[in-house]
Amino acid sequence: NLPFPQKPLFSPQIPFFPGERQVLVACGPFTPSDSLAFEPLSDLLDLLGRDPPDVCVLFGPFLDSKNEQVESCQLLSPFPDVFRLCLRTIVEGTR
């Protein structure tokens, strides 16, 4: 067992993030259950464009495994490609 450090990692006199910060947290899935259109993600990106927070944390699932097209094996691309499309949409939508 290692001992606990005697000094705090961050000094309370020097805040890591001075001032208040706005944090937006969103949880997926970011597609409707009956299609692969990232409409909920697009709505979120519109919100971020209008009122950008200091930090945005996104949790999955980005594409739900219970999505009708996923369950019926109707994906036109492999799952990793669909996920890359989702990530590309996020990157381009937050520039």
Side-chain angles (χ1 to χ4, degrees):
N1 292 336
L2 296 175
F4 285 101
Q6 298 302 315
K7 292 180 173 181
L9 295 176
F10 297 103
S11 170
Q13 291 82 21
I14 306 171
F16 191 66
F17 290 113
E20 291 184 12
R21 297 288 175 237
Q22 182 183 10
V23 177
L24 185 138
V25 178
C27 299
F30 296 103
T31 58
S33 62
D34 61 346
S35 80
L36 294 178
F38 288 100
E39 293 152 345
L41 180 61
S42 294
D43 292 343
L44 175 63
L45 294 173
D46 288 343
L47 174 79
L48 293 173
R50 287 191 310 271
D51 187 19
D54 296 300
V55 177
C56 178
V57 180
L58 301 179
F59 291 98
F62 290 86
L63 173 61
D64 193 354
S65 63
K66 297 295 182 187
N67 181 290
E68 290 176 8
Q69 292 182 13
V70 172
E71 282 192 321
S72 63
C73 299
Q74 294 179 353
L75 289 177
L76 299 178
S77 300
F79 187 81
D81 292 346
V82 174
F83 184 66
R84 277 197 267 314
L85 173 63
C86 177
L87 292 179
R88 189 175 325 124
T89 302
I90 294 168
V91 169
E92 290 173 2
T94 56
R95 287 190 180 179

